[in-house]
Amino acid sequence: MLGITDHASSVPERNDARLNIRTKASIKEAIEKAAELSGMDLSTFTTNAAYLRAKDVIAVHERTFLEPVDHTAFFDALDRPAAPTQKLLAAAKQHKEMVATSE
């Protein structure tokens, strides 16, 4: 038996949401076997597998990865921002006027 940790049970919420899925019989059999080998019931095993994968996907999409040259350019731009253009100044003025009149 593998040392699988039940990560989903550590989430401090009630288990009152349902997740219904359809799959192929061979996939279900493989998941059932893996759950059994892990010492978990099917629901716990499936929830944990999906939850961990979901966290991984979310983490990848919430990070920005830059090549070293891009990393340097990005932080240089933050350290030395360009002067605002006339168009940007006009947009800021228009925004300020619109916000002031809406209050």
Side-chain angles (χ1 to χ4, degrees), residues 34-57:
E36 183 180 329
L37 291 169
S38 299
M40 294 182 179
D41 62 60
L42 181 61
S43 181
T44 301
F45 180 83
T46 306
T47 300
N48 273 278
Y51 180 57
L52 291 175
R53 180 67 178 131
K55 287 175 58 173
D56 288 345
V57 169

Side-chain angles (χ1 to χ4, degrees), residues 7 11 16 22 28 37 40 65 74 77 91 93 99-100:
H7 296 275
V11 177
D16 57 2
R22 290 211 177 271
K28 182 181 178 196
L37 291 169
M40 294 182 179
F65 296 97
F74 177 77
K93 181 180 176 189
V99 170

Side-chain angles (χ1 to χ4, degrees), residues 33-91:
K33 183 174 182 177
E36 183 180 329
L37 291 169
S38 299
M40 294 182 179
D41 62 60
L42 181 61
S43 181
T44 301
F45 180 83
T46 306
T47 300
N48 273 278
Y51 180 57
L52 291 175
R53 180 67 178 131
K55 287 175 58 173
D56 288 345
V57 169
I58 291 166
V60 166
H61 285 273
E62 289 181 343
R63 288 191 200 115
T64 300
F65 296 97
L66 299 173
E67 294 296 325
V69 67
D70 298 323
H71 182 272
T72 301
F74 177 77
F75 283 101
D76 284 348
L78 289 178
D79 290 338
R80 292 186 305 278
T85 63
Q86 288 302 315
K87 205 170 188 178
L88 180 60
L89 292 170

Side-chain angles (χ1 to χ4, degrees), residues 1-12:
M1 183 165 53
L2 298 173
I4 305 294
T5 304
D6 182 0
H7 296 275
S9 67
S10 66
V11 177

